[in-house]
Amino acid sequence: MAASDSLTQKAIFSSYNYNVDVTAPGQWVISTKNDNTYAQDNGTSMASPIVAGAAALVKLRFPNMTPAQIKAQIVNTAKNIYGTENNQKFLGQLGSGLLDMRSALDSVVKHAVSMENFVLTDNDDEAYLLDDELELGIEMVNWLGETEGLIVSLVSLNPKVEVVDALRHFPALKSNARTNNYTDPFKLKVVGDGNTNEPVVLRLDITDGTFNYQEYVTFIINPDFVNVDVNHVSSTFSSAGQI
């Protein structure tokens, strides 16, 4: 959850991350106080209950929706706010955009696909170092209207990790159906000797006809720990001497 200011820009106090689903107003929000009065408050703690209230209204409007479908409805009807210069600095880290309650209550969106799970592996010690070859398998879920056929393209946002095999096609999916590419994963390679615990972000561009959506996978390269698997014992040793 991220918070916006009165200009629909990321509020100066707001958190941001590739795991954020949606942004909502969080500045100068009128809220109840402990002394039975009302006053203005700021924070993601103001934005969160606004989204919770929107979810309740979506449930009232579409009573057969599951919690996951309600989330998908809210996320996929949000208003794009990445057009401003300030928000461009946080591209992909403010979720799908600003909560649009009118659109969320208008009609059920046709497309609502997301990545539910992923498996990233080097088929060795899971400590990703220079020249390691990685595989990424993802599980996709279609929450609402039937898809025609998903195309997913993988992009690395860190030049020290190169995508070797970037494109996968998935079949048409009915509502609540799942699919994955665990047996035919994306291929990557660590091509740069990065800093210790250097973060890497992978972007998944998901398309289905006119539907476009992005998901993100984050991990680190050159970790300051080692993983050791011997017989049936798995251990991690950190650079601080912790086991």
Side-chain angles (χ1 to χ4, degrees), residues 37-211:
T37 61
Y38 297 90
Q40 290 181 339
D41 265 324
N42 300 319
T44 52
S45 294
M46 298 295 101
S48 180
I50 289 177
V51 177
L57 290 174
V58 172
K59 179 64 175 176
L60 183 66
R61 174 75 170 83
F62 306 109
N64 293 326
M65 277 192 179
T66 65
Q69 289 174 325
I70 292 172
K71 174 185 174 181
Q73 176 77 4
I74 290 173
V75 167
N76 286 278
T77 55
K79 186 180 300 182
N80 189 324
I81 54 174
Y82 289 113
T84 68
E85 182 178 352
N86 181 72
N87 288 348
Q88 272 288 318
K89 302 178 218 176
F90 308 100
L91 190 63
Q93 299 180 77
L94 303 176
S96 59
L98 185 69
L99 171 70
D100 187 339
M101 195 178 302
R102 174 69 264 176
S103 294
L105 297 174
D106 186 25
S107 60
V108 177
V109 295
K110 180 180 179 181
H111 294 98
V113 179
S114 66
M115 178 183 67
E116 184 76 352
N117 299 295
F118 72 87
V119 176
L120 180 68
T121 181
D122 63 357
N123 295 305
D124 185 18
D125 59 359
E126 311 307 344
Y128 311 131
L129 305 171
L130 181 64
D131 292 330
D132 276 358
E133 296 180 351
L134 314 180
E135 296 180 345
L136 174 67
I138 61 172
E139 181 181 28
M140 306 294 297
V141 183
N142 177 40
W143 298 112
L144 293 170
E146 186 171 351
T147 69
E148 299 172 5
L150 300 173
I151 301 174
V152 182
S153 179
L154 183 67
V155 178
S156 174
L157 303 186
N158 186 321
K160 293 172 184 175
V161 173
E162 178 183 277
V163 179
V164 178
D165 190 2
L167 194 66
R168 290 293 178 272
H169 293 261
F170 294 87
L173 297 173
K174 294 185 177 180
S175 179
N176 290 315
R178 297 169 179 263
T179 186
N180 66 69
N181 71 322
Y182 291 152
T183 60
D184 184 25
F186 298 101
K187 310 288 186 181
L188 309 96
K189 185 174 182 178
V190 181
V191 295
D193 194 4
N195 301 319
T196 300
N197 297 326
E198 181 168 340
V200 174
V201 178
L202 305 176
R203 188 185 74 226
L204 293 154
D205 294 326
I206 305 165
T207 61
D208 179 39
T210 59
F211 172 76

